[in-house]
């Protein structure tokens, strides 16, 4: 019988995502003996001395045995390390880390596969789904770091009134999941100064209460339809303080007019009183097309801070979709693929860790310097695409015996990963 060290199996599992193999079975083909350097390289990464390769089922049995929690714990230690070494500091807003909250569907099955599936009726067909709520910490150079995860399941949907709309159901589920997510995040990062960034569904009594209970600031999208009476107050007050206005033109030629109200008051449906600031930004692009954005926030808003709050806080929302879920679904990480029917959570966390490592590689200073030496601006420009980068990594892992100095922790200690877009 062959015994595999757990560190080796974790690296084996991470490599599935780092090399974007797309499915677990590919491990047996791509990391097979026709890639002579795989075993040696992974052994040295893991600090182990395995003399044979596992098969994909080995990984599956291992993850079934340990579950998702230890892998989530590994993610926590990695994020803590990045925070301690101040790699993420340049993206802070008023001294706080911006944490984007976003929900997404990620697994869909045609038959029930566990007790926790959410169900959705499509005509004759019932779909069984798994959804996830993610907290992603915003780093410099457009990095997004998964810091906390909560899986949404059918018990979150149970308290919604019968016949509730899909929209209402989504709100109920995500607000419940957010409270659990924040409890976990605060347990792991008790001192971290955070500003939560969420869409308009969080702009409600429970959304404000969660921020208060877990000692966070917030910046939530403010939509007229979500809080109609408050929206009327906001528009009325904006007319009363015409001095609270800042205008600027972005380097891309977009004209922006920021207006804001301090101390907007709101009483929620449970009779709790809240006071916050609200911002409206009207943009006109070079073709004269106008768009309007609004947020409510507990952050300080003034002539000095309004642009920063709106730009580095509010406007960053699209990044969870673009850099977060979209990248994980469409760049070969294959988030929506069921890597396992039993221990999907463990694979989910392996994917999050691999995505973090890939971003450090792609956006860190080492590859950027290499790109610049070749007259290119970024690593993606140098290699052509993220897919090409994953392919190069796979070729390298399979065929190139990585040099010993790459594994020297003393030498590595002096290498700093800098994430800046300059
Ligand atoms: Zn299920």
């Amino acid at each position: 019988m062959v015994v595999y060290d757990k560190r080796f199996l974790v690296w084996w599992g991470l490599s599935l995502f780092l090399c974007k193999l797309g499915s677990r079975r590919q491990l047996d083909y791509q990391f097979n003996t026709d890639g002579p350097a795989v075993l040696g390289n992974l052994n040295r990464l893991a600090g182990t001395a395995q003399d044979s390769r596992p098969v994909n089922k080995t990984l599956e049995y291992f993850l079934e045995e340990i579950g998702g929690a230890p892998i989530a714990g590994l993610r926590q230690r990695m994020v803590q390390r990045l925070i301690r070494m101040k790699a993420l500091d340049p993206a802070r807003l008023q001294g706080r880390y911006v944490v984007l909250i976003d929900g997404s569907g990620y697994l869909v099955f045609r038959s029930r596969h566990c007790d926790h599936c959410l169900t959705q009726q499509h005509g004759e067909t019932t779909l069984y789904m798994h959804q996830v709520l993610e907290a992603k910490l915003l780093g410099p150079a457009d990095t997004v770091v998964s810091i906390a995860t909560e899986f949404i399941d059918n018990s979150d949907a149970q308290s919604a009134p019968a016949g509730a709309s899909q929209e209402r159901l989504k709100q109920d589920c995500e607000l419940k999941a957010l409270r659990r997510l924040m409890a976990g995040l605060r347990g792991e990062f008790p001192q971290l100064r955070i500003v939560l960034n969420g869409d308009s569904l969080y702009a409600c009594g429970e959304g404000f209460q969660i921020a208060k209970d877990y000692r966070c600031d917030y910046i939530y999208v403010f939509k007229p339809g979500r809080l109609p009476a408050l929206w009327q107050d906001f528009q009325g007050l904006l007319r009363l303080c015409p001095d609270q206005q800042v205008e600027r033109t972005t380097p891309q030629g977009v004209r922006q007019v920021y207006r804001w109200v301090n101390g907007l008051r709101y009483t929620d449906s449970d009779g709790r009183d809240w006071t916050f600031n609200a911002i409206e930004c009207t943009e006109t692009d070079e073709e004269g097309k106008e768009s309007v954005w609004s947020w409510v926030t507990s952050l300080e808003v003034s002539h000095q801070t309004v642009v920063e709050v709106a730009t580095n806080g509010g406007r960053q929302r699209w990044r969870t979709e673009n850099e977060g879920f979209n990248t994980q679904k469409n760049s070969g990480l294959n988030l929506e693929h069921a890597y396992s029917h039993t221990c999907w959570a463990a694979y989910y966390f392996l994917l999050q860790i691999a995505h973090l490592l890939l971003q450090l590689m792609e956006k860190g200073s080492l590859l950027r310097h290499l790109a610049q030496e070749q007259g290119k601006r970024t690593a993606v420009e140098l290699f052509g695409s993220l897919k090409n980068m994953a392919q190069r990594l796979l070729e390298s892992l399979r065929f190139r015996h990585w040099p010993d100095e790459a594994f020297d922790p003393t030498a590595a200690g002096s290498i700093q990963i800098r994430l800046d877009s300059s």
Side-chain angles (χ1 to χ4, degrees), residues 221-298:
V221 173
F222 187 11
K223 277 196 184 146
R226 180 79 170 126
L227 300 165
L230 188 69
W231 183 264
Q232 292 299 323
D233 290 352
F234 177 42
Q235 295 301 315
L237 287 166
L238 276 178
R239 283 191 289 275
L240 296 178
C241 39
D243 294 341
Q244 297 191 170
Q245 180 165 326
V246 169
E247 297 185 24
R248 73 190 279 260
T249 304
T250 69
Q252 293 77 32
V254 177
R255 209 180 113 73
Q256 298 178 324
V257 180
Y258 295 89
R259 298 158 72 211
W260 68 97
V261 167
N262 297 118
L264 190 62
R265 286 163 186 274
Y266 167 62
T267 303
D268 70 27
S269 53
D270 292 325
R272 294 172 295 201
D273 291 319
W274 305 99
T275 306
F276 38 70
N277 304 316
I279 303 173
E280 182 175 277
C281 172
T282 307
E283 282 193 351
T284 315
D285 69 14
E286 282 177 314
E287 277 98 57
K289 188 170 162 283
E290 194 180 279
S291 37
V292 183
W293 314 77
S294 301
W295 303 275
V296 290
T297 180
S298 60

XYZ file of all heavy atoms in Angstrom, residues 221-298:
646
model
N -25.020 49.826 -2.804
C -25.696 50.499 -3.926
C -27.079 50.963 -3.467
O -27.780 50.241 -2.759
C -25.823 49.544 -5.138
C -26.675 50.172 -6.243
C -24.436 49.181 -5.669
N -27.441 52.173 -3.842
C -28.706 52.786 -3.438
C -29.566 52.905 -4.698
O -29.226 53.625 -5.625
C -28.383 54.172 -2.857
C -29.543 54.902 -2.234
C -30.763 54.284 -1.988
C -29.384 56.241 -1.869
C -31.811 54.985 -1.400
C -30.421 56.951 -1.286
C -31.641 56.323 -1.062
N -30.677 52.131 -4.717
C -31.560 52.181 -5.884
C -32.917 52.717 -5.465
O -33.421 52.337 -4.412
C -31.737 50.771 -6.477
C -30.621 50.365 -7.399
C -31.032 49.172 -8.254
C -29.869 48.720 -9.112
N -29.883 47.267 -9.297
N -33.539 53.552 -6.301
C -34.828 54.129 -5.934
C -35.861 53.058 -5.563
O -36.608 53.219 -4.602
C -35.260 54.889 -7.187
C -34.125 54.878 -8.137
C -33.059 53.983 -7.613
N -35.889 51.963 -6.295
C -36.914 50.944 -6.084
C -36.783 50.205 -4.767
O -37.761 49.700 -4.224
N -35.573 50.117 -4.229
C -35.350 49.338 -3.010
C -35.833 50.095 -1.779
O -36.387 49.512 -0.871
C -33.839 49.031 -2.901
C -33.417 48.222 -1.697
C -33.698 46.746 -1.884
N -33.075 45.953 -0.822
C -33.740 45.097 -0.064
N -35.043 44.932 -0.201
N -33.102 44.391 0.849
N -35.591 51.412 -1.719
C -36.002 52.238 -0.579
C -36.648 53.520 -1.126
O -36.063 54.601 -1.073
C -34.780 52.591 0.282
C -33.977 51.437 0.893
C -32.616 51.912 1.391
C -34.738 50.794 2.044
N -37.881 53.415 -1.659
C -38.469 54.543 -2.403
C -38.651 55.818 -1.570
O -38.339 56.916 -2.065
C -39.821 54.003 -2.882
C -40.000 52.657 -2.277
C -38.715 52.220 -1.671
N -39.100 55.701 -0.319
C -39.338 56.907 0.490
C -38.011 57.600 0.799
O -37.883 58.820 0.722
C -40.062 56.547 1.785
N -37.006 56.778 1.121
C -35.691 57.330 1.429
C -35.098 58.015 0.194
O -34.442 59.045 0.297
C -34.757 56.211 1.915
C -33.416 56.680 2.456
C -33.569 57.434 3.770
C -32.453 55.505 2.642
N -35.351 57.413 -0.959
C -34.862 57.996 -2.214
C -35.449 59.396 -2.422
O -34.740 60.321 -2.815
C -35.204 57.086 -3.392
C -34.682 57.594 -4.687
C -35.359 58.332 -5.620
C -33.350 57.452 -5.191
N -34.550 58.644 -6.675
C -33.308 58.120 -6.440
C -32.196 56.825 -4.705
C -32.153 58.173 -7.210
C -31.045 56.876 -5.477
C -31.023 57.549 -6.711
N -36.750 59.560 -2.109
C -37.398 60.877 -2.199
C -36.714 61.879 -1.268
O -36.427 63.005 -1.654
C -38.894 60.772 -1.831
C -39.746 59.992 -2.831
C -39.727 60.628 -4.206
O -39.720 61.853 -4.337
N -39.687 59.806 -5.256
N -36.469 61.443 -0.006
C -35.773 62.319 0.958
C -34.413 62.747 0.402
O -34.029 63.903 0.480
C -35.502 61.578 2.280
C -36.783 61.323 3.058
O -37.834 61.866 2.638
O -36.727 60.600 4.067
N -33.709 61.769 -0.127
C -32.363 62.003 -0.655
C -32.407 63.071 -1.757
O -31.643 64.048 -1.727
C -31.804 60.674 -1.184
C -30.457 60.736 -1.840
C -29.419 61.497 -1.300
C -30.206 60.004 -2.998
C -28.165 61.534 -1.916
C -28.962 60.034 -3.610
C -27.946 60.808 -3.075
N -33.324 62.885 -2.710
C -33.417 63.837 -3.820
C -33.785 65.231 -3.314
O -33.244 66.232 -3.785
C -34.430 63.351 -4.868
C -34.015 62.054 -5.580
C -32.686 62.172 -6.299
O -32.423 63.161 -6.985
N -31.810 61.184 -6.146
N -34.688 65.300 -2.316
C -35.088 66.582 -1.734
C -33.915 67.274 -1.058
O -33.666 68.469 -1.262
N -33.157 66.496 -0.266
C -32.026 67.073 0.465
C -30.898 67.513 -0.472
O -30.222 68.502 -0.212
C -31.491 66.067 1.498
C -32.397 65.879 2.723
C -31.985 64.654 3.516
C -32.379 67.128 3.604
N -30.703 66.754 -1.564
C -29.666 67.148 -2.534
C -29.918 68.567 -3.046
O -28.986 69.356 -3.189
C -29.655 66.177 -3.728
C -28.871 64.878 -3.581
C -29.026 64.044 -4.845
C -27.387 65.141 -3.307
N -31.206 68.896 -3.271
C -31.543 70.241 -3.774
C -31.230 71.318 -2.739
O -30.945 72.451 -3.073
C -33.020 70.297 -4.174
C -33.299 69.629 -5.527
C -34.703 69.916 -6.037
N -35.730 69.223 -5.268
C -36.110 67.957 -5.515
N -35.554 67.277 -6.501
N -37.034 67.394 -4.781
N -31.282 70.914 -1.431
C -31.048 71.891 -0.361
C -29.568 72.146 -0.089
O -29.225 73.066 0.640
C -31.722 71.427 0.946
C -33.246 71.338 0.908
C -33.791 70.835 2.235
C -33.848 72.702 0.566
N -28.679 71.276 -0.605
C -27.249 71.540 -0.362
C -26.462 71.550 -1.666
O -25.655 70.648 -1.918
C -26.660 70.568 0.665
S -27.240 68.871 0.557
N -26.690 72.568 -2.499
C -26.027 72.639 -3.811
C -24.508 72.786 -3.725
O -23.800 72.481 -4.686
C -26.649 73.885 -4.460
C -27.188 74.693 -3.326
C -27.586 73.716 -2.264
N -23.984 73.209 -2.569
C -22.529 73.347 -2.425
C -21.832 71.999 -2.344
O -20.625 71.903 -2.570
C -22.177 74.131 -1.152
C -22.661 75.570 -1.239
O -22.922 76.018 -2.380
O -22.790 76.209 -0.180
N -22.575 70.990 -1.953
C -21.943 69.672 -1.795
C -21.859 68.999 -3.158
O -22.585 68.057 -3.462
C -22.713 68.847 -0.753
C -22.631 69.534 0.588
C -23.127 68.709 1.748
O -22.921 69.117 2.871
N -23.764 67.587 1.515
N -20.941 69.472 -3.925
C -20.793 69.014 -5.300
C -19.317 69.096 -5.702
O -18.635 70.064 -5.369
C -21.639 69.897 -6.215
C -21.551 69.501 -7.664
C -22.662 70.145 -8.503
O -23.779 70.353 -8.040
N -22.337 70.462 -9.742
N -18.843 68.042 -6.363
C -17.480 68.032 -6.898
C -17.567 67.580 -8.350
O -18.252 66.610 -8.665
C -16.567 67.061 -6.096
C -15.236 66.854 -6.824
C -16.319 67.576 -4.692
N -16.881 68.293 -9.215
C -16.887 67.908 -10.631
C -15.467 67.582 -11.071
O -14.521 68.209 -10.622
C -17.404 69.061 -11.503
C -18.829 69.434 -11.191
C -19.364 70.497 -12.151
O -18.844 70.606 -13.282
O -20.289 71.209 -11.744
N -15.378 66.574 -11.923
C -14.054 66.259 -12.471
C -14.215 65.577 -13.822
O -15.301 65.093 -14.159
C -13.262 65.367 -11.515
C -13.760 63.942 -11.469
C -13.112 63.145 -10.350
N -11.790 62.628 -10.669
C -11.545 61.373 -11.045
N -12.534 60.505 -11.172
N -10.320 60.976 -11.290
N -13.144 65.546 -14.578
C -13.136 64.802 -15.836
C -12.055 63.730 -15.731
O -10.924 64.019 -15.345
C -12.842 65.740 -17.028
O -13.824 66.783 -17.006
C -12.930 65.000 -18.339
N -12.426 62.485 -16.009
C -11.466 61.380 -15.884
C -10.477 61.433 -17.045
O -10.752 62.070 -18.072
C -12.173 60.012 -15.915
O -12.693 59.811 -17.229
C -13.308 59.934 -14.900
N -9.327 60.742 -16.910
C -8.356 60.705 -18.015
C -8.977 60.168 -19.309
O -8.495 60.458 -20.400
C -7.267 59.753 -17.497
C -7.380 59.812 -16.004
C -8.835 60.047 -15.714
N -10.070 59.367 -19.201
C -10.730 58.835 -20.401
C -11.729 59.836 -20.992
O -12.453 59.511 -21.937
C -11.459 57.522 -20.077
C -10.562 56.340 -19.721
C -10.013 56.429 -18.300
O -10.666 56.956 -17.386
N -8.808 55.909 -18.087
N -11.803 61.030 -20.398
C -12.691 62.048 -20.947
C -14.135 61.965 -20.471
O -15.025 62.555 -21.072
N -14.384 61.201 -19.423
C -15.742 61.100 -18.871
C -15.932 62.205 -17.834
O -15.112 62.370 -16.929
C -15.980 59.714 -18.209
C -17.372 59.655 -17.585
C -15.787 58.601 -19.227
N -17.037 62.962 -17.983
C -17.308 64.032 -17.031
C -18.137 63.487 -15.882
O -19.143 62.814 -16.092
C -18.079 65.150 -17.736
C -17.831 66.508 -17.170
C -18.657 67.531 -17.948
N -19.688 68.099 -17.082
C -19.415 68.965 -16.108
N -18.192 69.364 -15.886
N -20.391 69.459 -15.374
N -17.691 63.724 -14.655
C -18.391 63.197 -13.481
C -18.812 64.347 -12.572
O -18.023 65.249 -12.308
C -17.467 62.268 -12.683
C -17.020 61.040 -13.461
C -16.068 60.179 -12.647
O -15.247 60.707 -11.889
N -16.177 58.873 -12.807
N -20.057 64.278 -12.108
C -20.541 65.230 -11.119
C -20.976 64.435 -9.883
O -21.862 63.594 -9.963
C -21.726 66.059 -11.656
C -22.201 67.044 -10.587
C -21.336 66.784 -12.932
N -20.281 64.684 -8.784
C -20.595 64.008 -7.523
C -21.392 64.960 -6.647
O -21.001 66.108 -6.459
C -19.319 63.632 -6.783
C -18.474 62.611 -7.482
C -17.496 63.004 -8.395
C -18.644 61.258 -7.236
C -16.714 62.075 -9.052
C -17.864 60.320 -7.886
C -16.900 60.734 -8.791
O -16.129 59.804 -9.429
N -22.498 64.468 -6.086
C -23.272 65.239 -5.108
C -23.564 64.314 -3.952
O -23.643 63.092 -4.114
C -24.573 65.725 -5.744
C -24.331 66.660 -6.926
C -25.526 66.696 -7.836
N -26.627 67.430 -7.231
C -27.917 67.173 -7.454
N -28.255 66.186 -8.251
N -28.850 67.889 -6.876
N -23.712 64.855 -2.758
C -23.937 63.985 -1.610
C -24.729 64.674 -0.501
O -24.854 65.896 -0.475
C -22.604 63.469 -1.050
C -21.754 64.513 -0.411
C -21.672 64.805 0.917
C -20.852 65.400 -1.068
N -20.780 65.819 1.132
C -20.262 66.204 -0.073
C -20.485 65.608 -2.411
C -19.325 67.193 -0.365
C -19.560 66.598 -2.697
C -18.983 67.360 -1.686
N -25.261 63.853 0.388
C -26.007 64.313 1.562
C -25.396 63.625 2.772
O -25.181 62.414 2.757
C -27.507 63.938 1.441
C -28.224 64.126 2.770
C -28.172 64.750 0.342
N -25.078 64.399 3.798
C -24.591 63.808 5.053
C -25.765 63.658 6.021
O -26.670 64.475 6.032
C -23.525 64.697 5.702
C -22.285 64.832 4.838
O -21.917 65.915 4.401
N -21.635 63.713 4.562
N -25.714 62.600 6.805
C -26.711 62.438 7.871
C -28.123 62.160 7.392
O -29.096 62.635 7.971
N -28.231 61.377 6.321
C -29.555 60.934 5.867
C -30.121 59.945 6.892
O -29.424 59.045 7.334
C -29.396 60.275 4.494
C -30.647 59.921 3.683
C -31.445 61.172 3.335
C -30.237 59.204 2.397
N -31.396 60.140 7.275
C -31.988 59.285 8.324
C -32.987 58.303 7.735
O -33.713 58.635 6.807
C -32.710 60.139 9.363
C -31.777 60.879 10.274
C -32.520 62.004 10.976
N -31.568 62.788 11.746
C -31.206 62.468 12.993
N -31.730 61.413 13.596
N -30.325 63.214 13.627
N -33.004 57.110 8.336
C -33.873 56.045 7.818
C -34.353 55.181 8.976
O -33.568 54.801 9.847
C -33.077 55.196 6.816
C -33.732 53.891 6.420
C -34.974 53.876 5.775
C -33.113 52.667 6.673
C -35.579 52.689 5.401
C -33.699 51.467 6.300
C -34.939 51.481 5.661
O -35.524 50.309 5.297
N -35.657 54.922 9.041
C -36.201 53.997 10.042
C -36.631 52.729 9.316
O -37.426 52.788 8.377
C -37.402 54.627 10.772
O -36.975 55.860 11.363
C -37.914 53.697 11.866
N -36.071 51.580 9.704
C -36.369 50.345 8.966
C -37.682 49.714 9.446
O -38.336 50.214 10.358
C -35.177 49.374 9.020
C -34.948 48.765 10.404
O -35.915 48.640 11.194
O -33.782 48.403 10.695
N -38.075 48.606 8.829
C -39.382 48.000 9.114
C -39.457 47.438 10.542
O -40.535 47.153 11.040
C -39.674 46.903 8.092
O -38.589 45.986 8.063
N -38.311 47.263 11.215
C -38.311 46.835 12.617
C -38.194 48.015 13.579
O -37.936 47.824 14.772
C -37.159 45.852 12.879
C -37.397 44.527 12.162
O -38.584 44.118 12.060
O -36.421 43.922 11.683
N -38.340 49.234 13.057
C -38.327 50.422 13.912
C -36.940 50.884 14.340
O -36.801 51.740 15.210
N -35.886 50.327 13.738
C -34.524 50.763 14.088
C -34.156 52.006 13.280
O -34.468 52.076 12.091
C -33.511 49.640 13.785
C -33.693 48.413 14.663
C -32.804 47.274 14.184
N -33.175 46.794 12.842
C -32.857 45.589 12.367
N -32.133 44.765 13.090
N -33.231 45.230 11.156
N -33.497 52.956 13.939
C -33.098 54.186 13.251
C -31.657 54.106 12.775
O -30.784 53.658 13.516
C -33.238 55.390 14.201
C -34.698 55.684 14.492
O -35.521 55.600 13.544
O -35.032 55.950 15.667
N -31.449 54.548 11.570
C -30.112 54.543 10.970
C -29.802 55.920 10.395
O -30.695 56.609 9.914
C -30.031 53.506 9.836
C -30.429 52.133 10.265
C -31.645 51.538 10.076
C -29.628 51.205 10.999
N -31.648 50.276 10.634
C -30.423 50.043 11.211
C -28.316 51.220 11.500
C -29.952 48.924 11.897
C -27.852 50.106 12.176
C -28.665 48.982 12.372
N -28.532 56.303 10.490
C -28.079 57.542 9.865
C -26.839 57.223 9.038
O -25.940 56.517 9.520
C -27.697 58.585 10.941
O -28.800 58.744 11.825
C -27.377 59.928 10.297
N -26.824 57.683 7.801
C -25.659 57.419 6.941
C -25.547 58.527 5.912
O -26.362 59.462 5.893
C -25.777 56.050 6.263
C -27.167 55.683 5.836
C -27.770 56.349 4.788
C -27.881 54.689 6.507
C -29.063 56.025 4.387
C -29.178 54.359 6.116
C -29.763 55.017 5.048
N -24.535 58.438 5.075
C -24.347 59.410 4.008
C -24.753 58.776 2.676
O -24.731 57.552 2.546
C -22.886 59.860 3.956
C -22.438 60.410 5.298
O -23.170 61.182 5.932
N -21.257 60.003 5.754
N -25.148 59.623 1.743
C -25.540 59.096 0.428
C -24.871 59.928 -0.662
O -24.723 61.143 -0.534
C -27.054 59.124 0.273
N -24.435 59.213 -1.706
C -23.699 59.857 -2.814
C -24.422 59.586 -4.126
O -24.929 58.483 -4.336
C -22.268 59.265 -2.940
C -21.503 59.406 -1.638
C -21.508 59.912 -4.105
C -20.148 58.691 -1.637
N -24.451 60.579 -4.991
C -24.923 60.357 -6.353
C -23.836 60.827 -7.315
O -23.271 61.896 -7.144
C -26.208 61.158 -6.593
C -26.789 60.936 -7.979
C -28.129 61.637 -8.149
O -29.149 61.051 -7.734
O -28.141 62.775 -8.651
N -23.540 59.992 -8.285
C -22.539 60.364 -9.294
C -23.186 60.297 -10.674
O -23.695 59.254 -11.066
C -21.340 59.413 -9.224
S -20.179 59.653 -10.581
N -23.169 61.429 -11.377
C -23.695 61.460 -12.747
C -22.514 61.539 -13.700
O -21.657 62.402 -13.574
C -24.598 62.695 -12.967
O -25.584 62.701 -11.938
C -25.282 62.638 -14.318
N -22.486 60.591 -14.621
C -21.376 60.524 -15.590
C -21.876 60.838 -16.985
O -22.917 60.341 -17.391
C -20.809 59.100 -15.630
C -19.922 58.766 -14.484
C -19.137 57.481 -14.742
O -19.411 56.765 -15.723
O -18.237 57.213 -13.948
N -21.106 61.626 -17.709
C -21.430 61.871 -19.116
C -20.186 61.544 -19.930
O -19.126 62.125 -19.712
C -21.813 63.350 -19.340
O -22.721 63.737 -18.296
C -22.491 63.538 -20.679
N -20.319 60.578 -20.842
C -19.136 60.198 -21.623
C -18.992 61.124 -22.842
O -19.787 62.047 -23.031
C -19.162 58.712 -22.013
C -20.244 58.380 -23.032
O -20.802 59.310 -23.652
O -20.522 57.180 -23.205
N -17.967 60.871 -23.647
C -17.658 61.793 -24.739
C -18.761 61.871 -25.788
O -18.900 62.867 -26.483
C -16.324 61.410 -25.385
C -15.163 61.885 -24.534
C -13.815 61.461 -25.106
O -13.676 60.279 -25.487
O -12.899 62.289 -25.140
N -19.584 60.789 -25.891
C -20.710 60.817 -26.845
C -21.967 61.448 -26.238
O -23.016 61.459 -26.873
C -21.057 59.392 -27.314
C -20.181 58.883 -28.458
C -19.051 57.988 -27.973
O -19.348 56.982 -27.310
O -17.874 58.329 -28.229
N -21.847 61.920 -24.987
C -22.988 62.559 -24.343
C -23.933 61.591 -23.633
O -24.992 61.962 -23.146
N -23.551 60.316 -23.566
C -24.387 59.329 -22.887
C -24.237 59.499 -21.370
O -23.127 59.568 -20.847
C -23.954 57.924 -23.306
C -24.869 56.827 -22.806
C -24.499 55.489 -23.480
C -25.076 54.320 -22.710
N -24.318 53.997 -21.491
N -25.400 59.553 -20.689
C -25.376 59.843 -19.261
C -25.740 58.599 -18.448
O -26.640 57.850 -18.817
C -26.380 60.968 -18.975
C -26.211 61.593 -17.604
C -27.235 62.706 -17.362
O -26.996 63.834 -17.845
O -28.255 62.438 -16.717
N -25.037 58.353 -17.345
C -25.461 57.299 -16.419
C -25.314 57.804 -14.984
O -24.470 58.652 -14.704
C -24.657 56.017 -16.629
O -23.316 56.313 -16.928
N -26.171 57.284 -14.112
C -26.218 57.771 -12.738
C -25.992 56.604 -11.782
O -26.547 55.516 -11.971
C -27.599 58.419 -12.436
C -27.612 58.990 -11.017
C -27.907 59.504 -13.447
N -25.144 56.822 -10.779
C -24.840 55.810 -9.773
C -25.086 56.397 -8.396
O -24.770 57.562 -8.165
C -23.368 55.407 -9.853
C -22.860 55.139 -11.226
C -22.533 56.062 -12.184
C -22.617 53.868 -11.810
N -22.102 55.441 -13.321
C -22.138 54.094 -13.124
C -22.749 52.557 -11.344
C -21.795 53.057 -13.978
C -22.402 51.533 -12.202
C -21.929 51.775 -13.507
N -25.624 55.591 -7.473
C -25.827 56.089 -6.109
C -25.459 55.036 -5.087
O -25.583 53.832 -5.336
C -27.292 56.486 -5.897
O -27.665 57.470 -6.814
N -24.995 55.504 -3.927
C -24.629 54.607 -2.832
C -25.040 55.213 -1.494
O -25.120 56.433 -1.355
C -23.116 54.395 -2.787
C -22.526 53.854 -4.040
C -22.435 52.545 -4.414
C -21.944 54.614 -5.108
N -21.832 52.445 -5.650
C -21.527 53.702 -6.099
C -21.744 55.979 -5.332
C -20.910 54.091 -7.286
C -21.137 56.388 -6.520
C -20.728 55.447 -7.478
N -25.263 54.356 -0.511
C -25.340 54.796 0.882
C -24.100 54.243 1.584
O -23.653 53.140 1.275
C -26.618 54.310 1.607
C -27.846 55.028 1.053
C -26.793 52.799 1.498
N -23.558 55.026 2.497
C -22.316 54.592 3.143
C -22.167 55.162 4.541
O -22.658 56.253 4.833
C -21.089 55.000 2.291
O -19.904 54.551 2.952
C -20.999 56.513 2.102
N -21.479 54.401 5.378
C -21.140 54.880 6.722
C -19.793 55.606 6.718
O -19.398 56.174 7.726
C -21.065 53.689 7.690
O -20.072 52.782 7.245
